[in-house]
Amino acid sequence: MQKVLEANDNLALDIRSLLREKRVSMVNLISGPGSGKTTILEKTIPLLKEKYSIGIIEGDIETDRDAQRLKLFSLPMVLINTHGACHLNSGSILNALEALPLDDLDIIFVENVGNLVCPAEFDIGEMAKVAVLSTPEGDDKPSKYPLLFRESALVLLNKIDLLSAVDFNLHNFYDDLKRLNGCVSVIEMAATKKIGLEQWVQWLETTIIAKEESKTGGKC
Amino acid sequence: MQKVLEANDNLALDIRSLLREKRVSMVNLISGPGSGKTTILEKTIPLLKEKYSIGIIEGDIETDRDAQRLKLFSLPMVLINTHGACHLNSGSILNALEALPLDDLDIIFVENVGNLVCPAEFDIGEMAKVAVLSTPEGDDKPSKYPLLFRESALVLLNKIDLLSAVDFNLHNFYDDLKRLNGCVSVIEMAATKKIGLEQWVQWLETTIIAKEESKTGGKC
């Protein structure tokens, strides 16, 4: 396992150099199943695509369902089916990048496999990890899945419109999260209702796209 | 990986023999994070505990939060913290069983690590895998995470009370699920509202506790 991670991390360094050279920013979206990653991309792309060239890497265990949903934007996109593996790794990302027109792109969104555990362990050379958590999943998730929330530069707290219908204590959530990661940002979002999208686009523009220097997320 | 799985499966056979000898039924609850496994147990235990002796094995990456929630029932319980691993395996289950009073128990609930991928790959000697899916996660999850839904004897479709507030097409869900697994049962549930609990208890009594012969789930 240690060797697998080392090999992965070495390739991730190569990816980071390549993306810096090409001046492309890559964001790694990570969440459990059904938190709303694809929907967030569906709502985000229209707000960015006039101004920036966007590429997509779709990670899924099986099926092209998420890829099909994003296909209508006619953006450069690579689908990676992991066939059982619970995360993307830098090897598969490097292959995907070879199929994308890096010279023309400003930003690449990676939608990782729906999983709160494994994807956080694998550096894929991204500029930042963005965790998506939806309110029906419960406020205890940062404490129970600490690695992702420690590693992420931003948490999108999605399905905020369901807050009153589910058991989610915002105070406990912020408390636990800040204890794990003192410099993480949070945007409360309801992607289907277009709540929080403006802040998210602003975060992408100022923190990700405008940066010349690649960096890993979670550091202030 | 193949060797790890083989070693796991051999130990699972030992567990199955041990549980058959002790006449204890073990159910393996699997879901993504926040689908409601712990809440389902909180609501189920009071309905069973007068009639049956219940043991619990709580799987979590970190923290004893779920275990704390179930502690008030004063049942024999073992907490397994996997410290990063995304599933329970038969080795850790065998250790846990050694700490439980098997001669006195009728049923053991295993709450696996919140993850739709890895736990489905690891036989832990259970009589049946029970998948929990909550409606906010979306109707596409069986197709996207097919192994669990192929392997499960029962799906608890939880948070059914949120159906009108979320994007979940019941018809598509049943269609995809039945294509993957022709003999799976489904109970529509809202554990917090006590909807579906009676059916679930009935399923446990007739399919699990009453059976003398151990079997793996998902076969009709």
Side-chain angles (χ1 to χ4, degrees):
Chain A
M1 184 62 186
Q2 201 50 45
K3 275 189 188 166
V4 170
L5 279 173
E6 268 175 40
N8 179 79
D9 289 357
N10 287 335
L11 265 187
L13 291 179
D14 295 344
I15 291 173
R16 213 163 261 124
S17 303
L18 172 68
L19 293 177
R20 188 162 42 217
E21 183 198 318
K22 300 285 185 183
R23 304 173 67 95
V24 183
S25 304
M26 187 166 78
V27 172
N28 184 3
L29 281 172
I30 302 177
S31 80
S35 301
K37 297 184 295 305
T38 314
T39 304
I40 289 170
L41 288 179
E42 285 175 324
K43 303 296 180 186
T44 306
I45 290 165
L47 302 177
L48 288 173
K49 77 186 175 80
E50 299 304 319
K51 208 163 156 193
Y52 306 103
S53 295
I54 304 170
I56 297 169
I57 298 175
E58 257 305 318
D60 259 315
I61 294 188
E62 307 275 349
T63 83
D64 63 350
R65 292 205 169 195
D66 292 349
Q68 285 295 343
R69 288 170 60 187
L70 298 174
K71 215 172 167 180
L72 64 102
F73 295 110
S74 303
L75 299 175
M77 175 161 59
V78 177
L79 167 64
I80 302 172
N81 275 144
T82 64
H83 301 295
C86 54
H87 60 88
L88 296 176
N89 59 36
S90 49
S92 60
I93 293 291
L94 197 54
N95 287 339
L97 290 176
E98 281 167 12
L100 287 173
L102 295 185
D103 288 322
D104 303 332
L105 294 180
D106 298 308
I107 183 164
I108 296 171
F109 290 104
V110 178
E111 182 176 346
N112 220 309
V113 173
N115 194 307
L116 272 185
V117 189
C118 330
E121 292 173 32
F122 285 79
D123 185 3
I124 56 167
E126 72 278 323
M127 186 181 279
K129 290 185 176 70
V130 172
V132 182
L133 180 70
S134 62
T135 57
E137 294 171 71
D139 55 64
D140 57 353
K141 293 305 164 291
S143 292
K144 291 185 64 189
Y145 302 85
L147 183 62
L148 173 62
F149 294 92
R150 255 188 226 118
E151 293 275 320
S152 293
L154 174 70
V155 176
L156 299 176
L157 181 60
N158 198 26
K159 307 189 189 179
I160 197 76
D161 55 322
L162 297 179
L163 197 61
S164 62
V166 298
D167 185 21
F168 190 99
N169 184 309
L170 270 179
H171 177 78
N172 293 350
F173 164 74
Y174 279 105
D175 219 45
D176 287 353
L177 182 65
K178 292 292 175 180
R179 206 172 5 241
L180 284 169
N181 184 345
C183 48
V184 68
S185 302
V186 178
I187 296 173
E188 298 181 10
M189 180 177 273
T192 55
K193 309 274 166 66
K194 301 192 177 176
I195 296 168
L197 285 176
E198 232 168 272
Q199 275 171 275
W200 159 234
V201 165
Q202 196 178 24
W203 185 87
L204 286 168
E205 289 196 289
T206 55
T207 315
I208 301 296
I209 304 174
K211 295 283 177 190
E212 303 240 331
E213 280 299 294
S214 278
K215 59 178 188 67
T216 51
K219 319 288 182 294
C220 343
Chain B
M1 184 63 185
Q2 199 51 45
K3 275 191 187 163
V4 170
L5 280 173
E6 268 176 39
N8 179 79
D9 289 358
N10 287 335
L11 264 186
L13 291 179
D14 295 344
I15 291 174
R16 214 164 260 122
S17 303
L18 172 68
L19 293 176
R20 189 161 44 216
E21 183 199 318
K22 300 285 185 185
R23 303 172 69 93
V24 183
S25 303
M26 188 166 79
V27 172
N28 185 3
L29 280 172
I30 302 177
S31 80
S35 302
K37 295 185 295 305
T38 314
T39 304
I40 289 170
L41 288 178
E42 284 176 324
K43 303 297 178 184
T44 307
I45 290 165
L47 302 178
L48 287 173
K49 77 185 176 79
E50 299 304 319
K51 208 164 156 193
Y52 305 103
S53 295
I54 304 169
I56 296 168
I57 298 175
E58 256 307 318
D60 258 315
I61 293 188
E62 306 274 350
T63 82
D64 62 351
R65 292 206 169 193
D66 293 349
Q68 285 295 343
R69 288 170 59 187
L70 298 174
K71 214 173 167 179
L72 65 102
F73 296 110
S74 303
L75 299 175
M77 175 161 60
V78 176
L79 168 65
I80 302 172
N81 275 144
T82 65
H83 301 294
C86 55
H87 60 87
L88 297 175
N89 60 35
S90 49
S92 60
I93 293 291
L94 197 55
N95 287 339
L97 291 176
E98 281 166 11
L100 288 173
L102 295 186
D103 288 322
D104 303 332
L105 294 180
D106 297 307
I107 184 165
I108 296 171
F109 290 104
V110 178
E111 182 176 346
N112 220 309
V113 173
N115 193 309
L116 272 185
V117 190
C118 329
E121 293 173 31
F122 285 78
D123 185 3
I124 56 168
E126 73 278 324
M127 185 181 278
K129 290 185 176 70
V130 172
V132 181
L133 179 70
S134 61
T135 57
E137 294 171 72
D139 55 64
D140 57 353
K141 294 304 163 291
S143 293
K144 291 185 63 188
Y145 302 85
L147 183 62
L148 172 62
F149 293 92
R150 256 188 224 120
E151 293 275 319
S152 293
L154 174 70
V155 176
L156 299 177
L157 181 59
N158 198 25
K159 308 190 190 178
I160 197 75
D161 55 322
L162 297 178
L163 197 61
S164 62
V166 299
D167 186 20
F168 191 98
N169 184 309
L170 271 180
H171 176 79
N172 293 350
F173 163 74
Y174 279 106
D175 219 46
D176 287 352
L177 181 64
K178 293 292 175 180
R179 206 175 2 242
L180 285 168
N181 184 345
C183 48
V184 68
S185 302
V186 178
I187 296 173
E188 297 180 10
M189 180 177 272
T192 55
K193 308 275 165 66
K194 301 194 178 177
I195 295 167
L197 286 176
E198 232 168 88
Q199 275 171 277
W200 158 233
V201 165
Q202 197 179 20
W203 185 87
L204 286 168
E205 288 196 289
T206 55
T207 315
I208 301 296
I209 305 175
K211 295 282 177 190
E212 302 241 331
E213 280 299 293
S214 278
K215 59 179 188 65
T216 51
K219 319 286 182 294
C220 343

